[in-house]
Every structure is written in C-alpha cells, then in structure tokens.
Amino acid sequence: MRTCEAVRADDSDIDPDEAAMTLHGKNRRDRRIPLHPTTLDALAGYQQLRDRPIPGYAGPACWSTSREAG
C-alpha cells in the first residue's frame, strides 16, 4: 500500500466478505488487494478502538491521528 492510497482509504473500502481492500491511487486508478484473515482481525480491532468516543473525531477515514481528536 502506498502512502497516498492509505490516506485516501475509507472504512467502506474494506470488504471483509471478499477479504480484500480497494485502494484509490492517483489518476483515479483503483486496485484491489487481498487481505489475510489476521489483517482483517487487526483492522476490526483498530476500528473498534478508533471509534470509541473521541471529542472532535468525525469522518469515514480508515486511519485517524491524535490531531483529529483535538
């Protein structure tokens, strides 16, 4: 995964049923990458932690930072 693809990733890009993630590259080029079951588990755990009530957090972005919380 390239940095620019990670920044553009949303939760909706992860498809646990297909064990894949859609990445959005430059020039509107999308690609799907397979995800190992342990990666899916790690992502689900991260999303649960991230979605805990954090003042100021908003948005569908897959990744968040502490800067978004305040």
Side-chain angles (χ1 to χ4, degrees):
M1 178 184 295
R2 297 174 182 100
T3 303
C4 64
E5 294 170 334
V7 170
R8 291 183 185 112
D10 288 338
D11 285 342
S12 62
D13 294 324
I14 300 169
D15 185 351
D17 296 330
E18 295 290 324
M21 182 173 187
T22 302
L23 302 175
H24 307 284
K26 62 182 180 179
N27 299 323
R28 299 182 189 198
R29 291 188 177 170
D30 294 348
R31 63 189 176 107
R32 286 179 61 85
I33 59 169
L35 297 175
H36 191 272
T38 58
T39 303
L40 286 170
D41 290 342
L43 285 170
Y46 170 78
Q47 288 168 326
Q48 286 180 344
L49 290 173
R50 181 205 61 200
D51 292 345
R52 287 184 179 173
I54 300 175
Y57 177 78
C62 199
W63 320 115
S64 67
T65 67
S66 59
R67 284 191 253 174
E68 293 177 31

Short mmCIF file of all heavy atoms in Angstrom, two decimals:
data_model
loop_
_atom_site.label_atom_id
_atom_site.label_comp_id
_atom_site.label_asym_id
_atom_site.label_seq_id
_atom_site.Cartn_x
_atom_site.Cartn_y
_atom_site.Cartn_z
N MET A 1 0.85 -1.16 0.00
CA MET A 1 0.00 0.00 0.00
C MET A 1 0.90 1.24 0.00
O MET A 1 1.81 1.35 0.80
CB MET A 1 -0.89 -0.01 1.25
CG MET A 1 -1.76 1.20 1.36
SD MET A 1 -2.74 1.29 2.90
CE MET A 1 -3.81 -0.10 2.73
N ARG A 2 0.60 2.12 -0.89
CA ARG A 2 1.34 3.38 -0.97
C ARG A 2 0.75 4.38 0.02
O ARG A 2 -0.42 4.30 0.39
CB ARG A 2 1.24 3.93 -2.39
CG ARG A 2 1.90 3.02 -3.41
CD ARG A 2 1.64 3.53 -4.83
NE ARG A 2 2.23 2.64 -5.79
CZ ARG A 2 1.56 1.72 -6.47
NH1 ARG A 2 0.26 1.59 -6.30
NH2 ARG A 2 2.17 0.94 -7.34
N THR A 3 1.55 5.33 0.43
CA THR A 3 1.11 6.32 1.40
C THR A 3 -0.13 7.06 0.92
O THR A 3 -1.09 7.24 1.67
CB THR A 3 2.23 7.33 1.71
OG1 THR A 3 3.37 6.62 2.18
CG2 THR A 3 1.81 8.35 2.75
N CYS A 4 -0.12 7.49 -0.35
CA CYS A 4 -1.28 8.23 -0.87
C CYS A 4 -2.54 7.36 -0.87
O CYS A 4 -3.64 7.87 -0.68
CB CYS A 4 -0.99 8.77 -2.27
SG CYS A 4 -0.71 7.52 -3.53
N GLU A 5 -2.39 6.06 -1.07
CA GLU A 5 -3.54 5.16 -1.04
C GLU A 5 -4.06 5.00 0.39
O GLU A 5 -5.27 4.95 0.61
CB GLU A 5 -3.16 3.80 -1.61
CG GLU A 5 -2.83 3.84 -3.08
CD GLU A 5 -2.22 2.56 -3.59
OE1 GLU A 5 -1.59 1.81 -2.81
OE2 GLU A 5 -2.36 2.30 -4.80
N ALA A 6 -3.16 4.95 1.35
CA ALA A 6 -3.57 4.84 2.75
C ALA A 6 -4.34 6.07 3.20
O ALA A 6 -5.35 5.97 3.90
CB ALA A 6 -2.35 4.62 3.64
N VAL A 7 -3.88 7.24 2.78
CA VAL A 7 -4.54 8.49 3.16
C VAL A 7 -5.95 8.55 2.60
O VAL A 7 -6.86 9.07 3.24
CB VAL A 7 -3.70 9.70 2.69
CG1 VAL A 7 -4.46 11.01 2.84
CG2 VAL A 7 -2.38 9.75 3.45
N ARG A 8 -6.16 8.02 1.42
CA ARG A 8 -7.47 8.07 0.77
C ARG A 8 -8.43 6.97 1.23
O ARG A 8 -9.60 6.97 0.87
CB ARG A 8 -7.30 7.94 -0.74
CG ARG A 8 -6.65 9.13 -1.38
CD ARG A 8 -6.58 8.95 -2.89
NE ARG A 8 -5.86 10.04 -3.50
CZ ARG A 8 -4.67 9.91 -4.08
NH1 ARG A 8 -4.09 8.74 -4.16
NH2 ARG A 8 -4.07 10.96 -4.61
N ALA A 9 -7.96 6.02 2.02
CA ALA A 9 -8.77 4.85 2.39
C ALA A 9 -9.89 5.22 3.36
O ALA A 9 -9.69 5.98 4.30
CB ALA A 9 -7.89 3.78 3.00
N ASP A 10 -11.06 4.68 3.10
CA ASP A 10 -12.22 4.80 3.97
C ASP A 10 -12.60 3.41 4.46
O ASP A 10 -12.22 2.40 3.86
CB ASP A 10 -13.42 5.40 3.22
CG ASP A 10 -13.25 6.87 2.92
OD1 ASP A 10 -12.45 7.54 3.60
OD2 ASP A 10 -13.93 7.36 2.00
N ASP A 11 -13.40 3.37 5.52
CA ASP A 11 -13.87 2.08 6.02
C ASP A 11 -14.61 1.29 4.95
O ASP A 11 -14.54 0.07 4.91
CB ASP A 11 -14.79 2.28 7.23
CG ASP A 11 -14.02 2.65 8.50
OD1 ASP A 11 -12.79 2.43 8.54
OD2 ASP A 11 -14.66 3.14 9.44
N SER A 12 -15.32 1.98 4.08
CA SER A 12 -16.10 1.30 3.05
C SER A 12 -15.22 0.61 2.01
O SER A 12 -15.71 -0.20 1.23
CB SER A 12 -17.04 2.29 2.36
OG SER A 12 -16.30 3.31 1.72
N ASP A 13 -13.93 0.92 2.00
CA ASP A 13 -13.01 0.28 1.06
C ASP A 13 -12.60 -1.12 1.50
O ASP A 13 -12.05 -1.89 0.72
CB ASP A 13 -11.75 1.12 0.87
CG ASP A 13 -12.05 2.46 0.20
OD1 ASP A 13 -12.95 2.49 -0.67
OD2 ASP A 13 -11.40 3.46 0.55
N ILE A 14 -12.88 -1.46 2.75
CA ILE A 14 -12.55 -2.79 3.27
C ILE A 14 -13.76 -3.69 3.09
O ILE A 14 -14.85 -3.38 3.54
CB ILE A 14 -12.16 -2.71 4.75
CG1 ILE A 14 -10.94 -1.80 4.92
CG2 ILE A 14 -11.88 -4.10 5.30
CD1 ILE A 14 -10.63 -1.45 6.36
N ASP A 15 -13.55 -4.82 2.41
CA ASP A 15 -14.61 -5.78 2.17
C ASP A 15 -14.27 -7.09 2.88
O ASP A 15 -13.55 -7.92 2.33
CB ASP A 15 -14.78 -6.02 0.67
CG ASP A 15 -15.95 -6.91 0.33
OD1 ASP A 15 -16.54 -7.50 1.25
OD2 ASP A 15 -16.27 -7.03 -0.87
N PRO A 16 -14.75 -7.26 4.13
CA PRO A 16 -14.39 -8.47 4.86
C PRO A 16 -14.94 -9.75 4.24
O PRO A 16 -14.33 -10.81 4.36
CB PRO A 16 -14.98 -8.24 6.26
CG PRO A 16 -15.93 -7.11 6.13
CD PRO A 16 -15.59 -6.36 4.89
N ASP A 17 -16.08 -9.66 3.55
CA ASP A 17 -16.65 -10.85 2.91
C ASP A 17 -15.75 -11.37 1.79
O ASP A 17 -15.66 -12.57 1.58
CB ASP A 17 -18.05 -10.56 2.36
CG ASP A 17 -19.03 -10.22 3.46
OD1 ASP A 17 -18.86 -10.74 4.59
OD2 ASP A 17 -19.95 -9.44 3.20
N GLU A 18 -15.11 -10.47 1.08
CA GLU A 18 -14.22 -10.85 -0.02
C GLU A 18 -12.76 -10.90 0.42
O GLU A 18 -11.88 -11.23 -0.37
CB GLU A 18 -14.36 -9.85 -1.18
CG GLU A 18 -15.72 -9.84 -1.83
CD GLU A 18 -15.98 -11.11 -2.63
OE1 GLU A 18 -15.03 -11.65 -3.23
OE2 GLU A 18 -17.14 -11.56 -2.63
N ALA A 19 -12.50 -10.52 1.68
CA ALA A 19 -11.14 -10.46 2.22
C ALA A 19 -10.24 -9.63 1.30
O ALA A 19 -9.17 -10.06 0.89
CB ALA A 19 -10.56 -11.85 2.45
N ALA A 20 -10.72 -8.42 0.99
CA ALA A 20 -9.98 -7.55 0.07
C ALA A 20 -10.21 -6.09 0.45
O ALA A 20 -11.15 -5.75 1.18
CB ALA A 20 -10.43 -7.78 -1.36
N MET A 21 -9.34 -5.25 -0.06
CA MET A 21 -9.44 -3.81 0.17
C MET A 21 -9.23 -3.11 -1.16
O MET A 21 -8.34 -3.48 -1.93
CB MET A 21 -8.39 -3.35 1.17
CG MET A 21 -8.45 -1.89 1.51
SD MET A 21 -7.29 -1.53 2.85
CE MET A 21 -7.70 0.16 3.17
N THR A 22 -10.06 -2.11 -1.43
CA THR A 22 -9.91 -1.31 -2.63
C THR A 22 -9.05 -0.11 -2.30
O THR A 22 -9.32 0.62 -1.34
CB THR A 22 -11.28 -0.84 -3.16
OG1 THR A 22 -12.09 -1.98 -3.42
CG2 THR A 22 -11.13 -0.01 -4.41
N LEU A 23 -8.00 0.09 -3.09
CA LEU A 23 -7.10 1.22 -2.91
C LEU A 23 -7.31 2.19 -4.05
O LEU A 23 -7.47 1.78 -5.20
CB LEU A 23 -5.65 0.74 -2.88
CG LEU A 23 -5.32 -0.27 -1.79
CD1 LEU A 23 -3.88 -0.75 -1.94
CD2 LEU A 23 -5.55 0.32 -0.42
N HIS A 24 -7.32 3.48 -3.73
CA HIS A 24 -7.54 4.52 -4.72
C HIS A 24 -6.23 5.24 -4.97
O HIS A 24 -5.75 6.00 -4.13
CB HIS A 24 -8.61 5.49 -4.24
CG HIS A 24 -9.88 4.79 -3.83
ND1 HIS A 24 -10.76 4.29 -4.75
CD2 HIS A 24 -10.37 4.48 -2.60
CE1 HIS A 24 -11.77 3.71 -4.10
NE2 HIS A 24 -11.54 3.81 -2.80
N GLY A 25 -5.65 5.01 -6.14
CA GLY A 25 -4.38 5.63 -6.48
C GLY A 25 -4.56 6.92 -7.25
O GLY A 25 -5.67 7.41 -7.44
N LYS A 26 -3.45 7.45 -7.69
CA LYS A 26 -3.51 8.70 -8.45
C LYS A 26 -4.12 8.44 -9.83
O LYS A 26 -4.16 7.30 -10.31
CB LYS A 26 -2.12 9.32 -8.57
CG LYS A 26 -1.11 8.48 -9.31
CD LYS A 26 0.22 9.20 -9.31
CE LYS A 26 1.26 8.38 -10.05
NZ LYS A 26 2.54 9.04 -10.09
N ASN A 27 -4.59 9.48 -10.44
CA ASN A 27 -5.24 9.41 -11.75
C ASN A 27 -6.45 8.49 -11.76
O ASN A 27 -6.73 7.83 -12.75
CB ASN A 27 -4.24 8.99 -12.83
CG ASN A 27 -3.10 9.96 -12.96
OD1 ASN A 27 -3.28 11.17 -12.83
ND2 ASN A 27 -1.90 9.45 -13.19
N ARG A 28 -7.13 8.43 -10.62
CA ARG A 28 -8.36 7.62 -10.50
C ARG A 28 -8.15 6.15 -10.82
O ARG A 28 -9.05 5.49 -11.34
CB ARG A 28 -9.47 8.20 -11.36
CG ARG A 28 -9.83 9.61 -10.97
CD ARG A 28 -10.94 10.13 -11.82
NE ARG A 28 -11.09 11.56 -11.55
CZ ARG A 28 -12.17 12.23 -11.85
NH1 ARG A 28 -13.16 11.63 -12.44
NH2 ARG A 28 -12.23 13.52 -11.60
N ARG A 29 -7.01 5.65 -10.50
CA ARG A 29 -6.73 4.22 -10.71
C ARG A 29 -6.95 3.48 -9.41
O ARG A 29 -6.28 3.71 -8.42
CB ARG A 29 -5.30 4.02 -11.20
CG ARG A 29 -5.10 4.53 -12.58
CD ARG A 29 -3.75 4.15 -13.10
NE ARG A 29 -3.62 4.62 -14.48
CZ ARG A 29 -2.50 4.62 -15.13
NH1 ARG A 29 -1.39 4.19 -14.56
NH2 ARG A 29 -2.46 5.05 -16.37
N ASP A 30 -7.92 2.60 -9.44
CA ASP A 30 -8.23 1.78 -8.27
C ASP A 30 -7.67 0.38 -8.46
O ASP A 30 -7.54 -0.10 -9.59
CB ASP A 30 -9.74 1.67 -8.06
CG ASP A 30 -10.39 2.99 -7.71
OD1 ASP A 30 -9.64 3.95 -7.40
OD2 ASP A 30 -11.62 3.06 -7.74
N ARG A 31 -7.32 -0.25 -7.33
CA ARG A 31 -6.90 -1.64 -7.38
C ARG A 31 -7.34 -2.31 -6.10
O ARG A 31 -7.54 -1.67 -5.08
CB ARG A 31 -5.39 -1.76 -7.57
CG ARG A 31 -4.54 -1.19 -6.47
CD ARG A 31 -3.06 -1.16 -6.86
NE ARG A 31 -2.28 -0.51 -5.82
CZ ARG A 31 -1.46 -1.14 -4.99
NH1 ARG A 31 -1.31 -2.45 -5.09
NH2 ARG A 31 -0.79 -0.49 -4.08
N ARG A 32 -7.55 -3.61 -6.19
CA ARG A 32 -7.96 -4.39 -5.02
C ARG A 32 -6.81 -5.27 -4.59
O ARG A 32 -6.14 -5.87 -5.42
CB ARG A 32 -9.18 -5.25 -5.33
CG ARG A 32 -10.44 -4.40 -5.42
CD ARG A 32 -11.68 -5.19 -5.74
NE ARG A 32 -12.07 -6.21 -4.82
CZ ARG A 32 -12.80 -6.03 -3.72
NH1 ARG A 32 -13.22 -4.82 -3.41
NH2 ARG A 32 -13.13 -7.03 -2.94
N ILE A 33 -6.60 -5.30 -3.28
CA ILE A 33 -5.56 -6.16 -2.75
C ILE A 33 -6.20 -7.16 -1.79
O ILE A 33 -7.17 -6.84 -1.10
CB ILE A 33 -4.45 -5.37 -2.03
CG1 ILE A 33 -5.01 -4.55 -0.88
CG2 ILE A 33 -3.69 -4.47 -3.02
CD1 ILE A 33 -3.95 -3.94 0.02
N PRO A 34 -5.70 -8.38 -1.77
CA PRO A 34 -6.24 -9.36 -0.83
C PRO A 34 -5.76 -9.06 0.59
O PRO A 34 -4.68 -8.51 0.79
CB PRO A 34 -5.66 -10.69 -1.33
CG PRO A 34 -4.42 -10.30 -2.05
CD PRO A 34 -4.67 -8.93 -2.63
N LEU A 35 -6.58 -9.41 1.56
CA LEU A 35 -6.23 -9.22 2.96
C LEU A 35 -6.23 -10.57 3.67
O LEU A 35 -7.19 -11.34 3.54
CB LEU A 35 -7.21 -8.28 3.65
CG LEU A 35 -7.28 -6.85 3.12
CD1 LEU A 35 -8.39 -6.08 3.84
CD2 LEU A 35 -5.95 -6.15 3.29
N HIS A 36 -5.18 -10.84 4.40
CA HIS A 36 -5.07 -12.07 5.18
C HIS A 36 -6.08 -12.00 6.33
O HIS A 36 -6.38 -10.91 6.85
CB HIS A 36 -3.64 -12.19 5.72
CG HIS A 36 -3.34 -13.52 6.30
ND1 HIS A 36 -3.59 -13.81 7.63
CD2 HIS A 36 -2.83 -14.64 5.74
CE1 HIS A 36 -3.23 -15.07 7.86
NE2 HIS A 36 -2.76 -15.59 6.73
N PRO A 37 -6.62 -13.13 6.77
CA PRO A 37 -7.58 -13.11 7.88
C PRO A 37 -7.04 -12.41 9.14
O PRO A 37 -7.80 -11.73 9.83
CB PRO A 37 -7.85 -14.59 8.15
CG PRO A 37 -7.61 -15.25 6.83
CD PRO A 37 -6.49 -14.48 6.19
N THR A 38 -5.76 -12.54 9.42
CA THR A 38 -5.21 -11.86 10.59
C THR A 38 -5.19 -10.35 10.40
O THR A 38 -5.34 -9.59 11.36
CB THR A 38 -3.79 -12.37 10.93
OG1 THR A 38 -2.94 -12.16 9.79
CG2 THR A 38 -3.81 -13.84 11.29
N THR A 39 -5.03 -9.90 9.15
CA THR A 39 -5.08 -8.48 8.86
C THR A 39 -6.49 -7.95 9.04
O THR A 39 -6.69 -6.86 9.60
CB THR A 39 -4.59 -8.20 7.43
OG1 THR A 39 -3.26 -8.72 7.29
CG2 THR A 39 -4.59 -6.72 7.10
N LEU A 40 -7.48 -8.71 8.60
CA LEU A 40 -8.87 -8.32 8.80
C LEU A 40 -9.19 -8.20 10.29
O LEU A 40 -9.86 -7.26 10.71
CB LEU A 40 -9.81 -9.33 8.14
CG LEU A 40 -9.89 -9.28 6.62
CD1 LEU A 40 -10.66 -10.48 6.09
CD2 LEU A 40 -10.53 -7.99 6.16
N ASP A 41 -8.69 -9.15 11.09
CA ASP A 41 -8.91 -9.10 12.54
C ASP A 41 -8.26 -7.86 13.14
O ASP A 41 -8.84 -7.18 13.98
CB ASP A 41 -8.35 -10.36 13.22
CG ASP A 41 -9.15 -11.61 12.89
OD1 ASP A 41 -10.30 -11.49 12.43
OD2 ASP A 41 -8.61 -12.71 13.10
N ALA A 42 -7.04 -7.56 12.71
CA ALA A 42 -6.33 -6.39 13.22
C ALA A 42 -7.05 -5.10 12.84
O ALA A 42 -7.18 -4.18 13.66
CB ALA A 42 -4.90 -6.37 12.71
N LEU A 43 -7.55 -5.02 11.61
CA LEU A 43 -8.29 -3.84 11.17
C LEU A 43 -9.58 -3.67 11.97
O LEU A 43 -9.93 -2.56 12.38
CB LEU A 43 -8.61 -3.92 9.68
CG LEU A 43 -7.45 -3.65 8.74
CD1 LEU A 43 -7.84 -4.02 7.30
CD2 LEU A 43 -7.01 -2.20 8.81
N ALA A 44 -10.28 -4.77 12.22
CA ALA A 44 -11.52 -4.70 13.00
C ALA A 44 -11.23 -4.22 14.42
O ALA A 44 -11.97 -3.39 14.98
CB ALA A 44 -12.21 -6.06 13.02
N GLY A 45 -10.15 -4.71 15.02
CA GLY A 45 -9.77 -4.26 16.36
C GLY A 45 -9.41 -2.80 16.39
O GLY A 45 -9.79 -2.06 17.30
N TYR A 46 -8.67 -2.36 15.38
CA TYR A 46 -8.29 -0.94 15.28
C TYR A 46 -9.54 -0.07 15.14
O TYR A 46 -9.65 0.96 15.80
CB TYR A 46 -7.36 -0.72 14.09
CG TYR A 46 -7.14 0.74 13.80
CD1 TYR A 46 -6.28 1.50 14.57
CD2 TYR A 46 -7.83 1.38 12.77
CE1 TYR A 46 -6.08 2.85 14.33
CE2 TYR A 46 -7.65 2.72 12.52
CZ TYR A 46 -6.77 3.45 13.30
OH TYR A 46 -6.61 4.79 13.06
N GLN A 47 -10.49 -0.49 14.30
CA GLN A 47 -11.69 0.30 14.09
C GLN A 47 -12.50 0.42 15.38
O GLN A 47 -13.06 1.48 15.66
CB GLN A 47 -12.54 -0.31 12.98
CG GLN A 47 -11.93 -0.12 11.61
CD GLN A 47 -12.61 -0.96 10.54
OE1 GLN A 47 -13.06 -2.07 10.80
NE2 GLN A 47 -12.66 -0.43 9.33
N GLN A 48 -12.54 -0.64 16.17
CA GLN A 48 -13.26 -0.57 17.45
C GLN A 48 -12.60 0.44 18.39
O GLN A 48 -13.28 1.23 19.04
CB GLN A 48 -13.32 -1.93 18.10
CG GLN A 48 -14.29 -2.87 17.44
CD GLN A 48 -14.32 -4.23 18.12
OE1 GLN A 48 -13.43 -4.59 18.90
NE2 GLN A 48 -15.34 -5.01 17.81
N LEU A 49 -11.29 0.41 18.47
CA LEU A 49 -10.58 1.36 19.32
C LEU A 49 -10.74 2.79 18.81
O LEU A 49 -10.97 3.72 19.59
CB LEU A 49 -9.09 1.02 19.39
CG LEU A 49 -8.72 -0.23 20.16
CD1 LEU A 49 -7.24 -0.53 20.00
CD2 LEU A 49 -9.08 -0.08 21.63
N ARG A 50 -10.63 2.95 17.50
CA ARG A 50 -10.73 4.28 16.89
C ARG A 50 -12.12 4.88 17.09
O ARG A 50 -12.26 6.09 17.25
CB ARG A 50 -10.42 4.17 15.40
CG ARG A 50 -10.47 5.49 14.66
CD ARG A 50 -10.76 5.33 13.21
NE ARG A 50 -12.05 4.70 13.02
CZ ARG A 50 -12.42 4.08 11.90
NH1 ARG A 50 -11.58 4.01 10.90
NH2 ARG A 50 -13.60 3.53 11.79
N ASP A 51 -13.12 4.04 17.05
CA ASP A 51 -14.50 4.54 17.12
C ASP A 51 -14.99 4.80 18.54
O ASP A 51 -16.14 5.20 18.71
CB ASP A 51 -15.44 3.57 16.41
CG ASP A 51 -15.22 3.55 14.91
OD1 ASP A 51 -14.55 4.47 14.40
OD2 ASP A 51 -15.68 2.59 14.25
N ARG A 52 -14.14 4.58 19.53
CA ARG A 52 -14.54 4.96 20.89
C ARG A 52 -14.79 6.46 20.89
O ARG A 52 -14.18 7.20 20.12
CB ARG A 52 -13.43 4.62 21.88
CG ARG A 52 -13.31 3.15 22.14
CD ARG A 52 -12.27 2.89 23.19
NE ARG A 52 -12.18 1.47 23.45
CZ ARG A 52 -11.26 0.94 24.23
NH1 ARG A 52 -10.36 1.70 24.82
NH2 ARG A 52 -11.24 -0.36 24.43
N PRO A 53 -15.67 6.90 21.75
CA PRO A 53 -15.98 8.34 21.75
C PRO A 53 -14.72 9.20 21.95
O PRO A 53 -14.10 9.17 22.99
CB PRO A 53 -16.94 8.50 22.92
CG PRO A 53 -17.53 7.15 23.13
CD PRO A 53 -16.46 6.17 22.72
N ILE A 54 -14.38 9.91 20.90
CA ILE A 54 -13.26 10.85 20.94
C ILE A 54 -13.83 12.21 20.57
O ILE A 54 -14.35 12.38 19.48
CB ILE A 54 -12.15 10.47 19.92
CG1 ILE A 54 -11.59 9.08 20.24
CG2 ILE A 54 -11.05 11.51 19.91
CD1 ILE A 54 -10.59 8.59 19.21
N PRO A 55 -13.72 13.19 21.46
CA PRO A 55 -14.24 14.51 21.13
C PRO A 55 -13.60 15.05 19.85
O PRO A 55 -12.38 15.04 19.70
CB PRO A 55 -13.83 15.36 22.34
CG PRO A 55 -13.61 14.39 23.44
CD PRO A 55 -13.14 13.13 22.79
N GLY A 56 -14.41 15.41 18.92
CA GLY A 56 -13.90 16.01 17.69
C GLY A 56 -13.66 15.04 16.56
O GLY A 56 -13.38 15.46 15.45
N TYR A 57 -13.74 13.72 16.79
CA TYR A 57 -13.50 12.79 15.69
C TYR A 57 -14.73 12.72 14.81
O TYR A 57 -15.84 12.58 15.29
CB TYR A 57 -13.15 11.39 16.17
CG TYR A 57 -12.99 10.42 15.01
CD1 TYR A 57 -11.84 10.44 14.26
CD2 TYR A 57 -14.01 9.57 14.63
CE1 TYR A 57 -11.67 9.61 13.17
CE2 TYR A 57 -13.87 8.74 13.54
CZ TYR A 57 -12.70 8.75 12.81
OH TYR A 57 -12.54 7.93 11.73
N ALA A 58 -14.52 12.82 13.53
CA ALA A 58 -15.62 12.70 12.57
C ALA A 58 -15.06 12.23 11.25
O ALA A 58 -13.91 12.49 10.92
CB ALA A 58 -16.32 14.05 12.38
N GLY A 59 -15.86 11.52 10.51
CA GLY A 59 -15.46 11.14 9.17
C GLY A 59 -15.31 9.65 8.99
O GLY A 59 -15.16 8.90 9.95
N PRO A 60 -15.37 9.23 7.73
CA PRO A 60 -15.29 7.81 7.42
C PRO A 60 -13.86 7.31 7.21
O PRO A 60 -13.65 6.16 6.87
CB PRO A 60 -16.08 7.72 6.11
CG PRO A 60 -15.78 9.02 5.44
CD PRO A 60 -15.71 10.03 6.58
N ALA A 61 -12.87 8.18 7.38
CA ALA A 61 -11.49 7.79 7.08
C ALA A 61 -11.10 6.56 7.87
O ALA A 61 -11.44 6.39 9.04
CB ALA A 61 -10.53 8.94 7.40
N CYS A 62 -10.36 5.69 7.21
CA CYS A 62 -9.93 4.44 7.82
C CYS A 62 -8.94 4.71 8.95
O CYS A 62 -9.00 4.09 10.00
CB CYS A 62 -9.30 3.57 6.74
SG CYS A 62 -9.21 1.83 7.18
N TRP A 63 -8.04 5.63 8.75
CA TRP A 63 -6.98 5.93 9.72
C TRP A 63 -7.26 7.26 10.38
O TRP A 63 -7.77 8.18 9.77
CB TRP A 63 -5.62 5.95 9.05
CG TRP A 63 -5.45 4.88 8.03
CD1 TRP A 63 -5.27 5.06 6.70
CD2 TRP A 63 -5.48 3.46 8.22
NE1 TRP A 63 -5.19 3.86 6.07
CE2 TRP A 63 -5.31 2.85 6.96
CE3 TRP A 63 -5.64 2.66 9.33
CZ2 TRP A 63 -5.30 1.48 6.79
CZ3 TRP A 63 -5.63 1.29 9.15
CH2 TRP A 63 -5.45 0.70 7.90
N SER A 64 -6.89 7.38 11.64
CA SER A 64 -7.03 8.66 12.33
C SER A 64 -5.77 8.94 13.11
O SER A 64 -4.95 8.05 13.35
CB SER A 64 -8.25 8.64 13.26
OG SER A 64 -8.03 7.73 14.32
N THR A 65 -5.62 10.18 13.54
CA THR A 65 -4.47 10.57 14.33
C THR A 65 -4.96 11.27 15.59
O THR A 65 -6.12 11.67 15.67
CB THR A 65 -3.54 11.54 13.57
OG1 THR A 65 -4.24 12.77 13.37
CG2 THR A 65 -3.12 10.97 12.22
N SER A 66 -4.06 11.46 16.54
CA SER A 66 -4.44 12.17 17.75
C SER A 66 -4.77 13.63 17.47
O SER A 66 -5.48 14.27 18.21
CB SER A 66 -3.33 12.07 18.80
OG SER A 66 -2.13 12.62 18.29
N ARG A 67 -4.26 14.17 16.36
CA ARG A 67 -4.57 15.55 16.00
C ARG A 67 -6.04 15.72 15.67
O ARG A 67 -6.61 16.78 15.84
CB ARG A 67 -3.74 16.00 14.80
CG ARG A 67 -2.32 16.30 15.17
CD ARG A 67 -1.65 16.98 14.03
NE ARG A 67 -0.73 16.02 13.45
CZ ARG A 67 -0.05 16.23 12.35
NH1 ARG A 67 -0.20 17.34 11.67
NH2 ARG A 67 0.78 15.33 11.90
N GLU A 68 -6.69 14.66 15.17
CA GLU A 68 -8.11 14.75 14.83
C GLU A 68 -8.97 14.83 16.07
O GLU A 68 -10.11 15.24 16.01
CB GLU A 68 -8.52 13.55 13.97
CG GLU A 68 -7.87 13.56 12.61
CD GLU A 68 -8.23 12.33 11.80
OE1 GLU A 68 -9.33 11.80 11.99
OE2 GLU A 68 -7.40 11.89 11.02
N ALA A 69 -8.43 14.39 17.21
CA ALA A 69 -9.21 14.36 18.43
C ALA A 69 -9.28 15.71 19.12
O ALA A 69 -10.10 15.92 19.97
CB ALA A 69 -8.60 13.33 19.41
N GLY A 70 -8.45 16.63 18.75
CA GLY A 70 -8.49 17.88 19.49
C GLY A 70 -8.21 18.99 18.63
O GLY A 70 -8.39 20.04 18.48
#
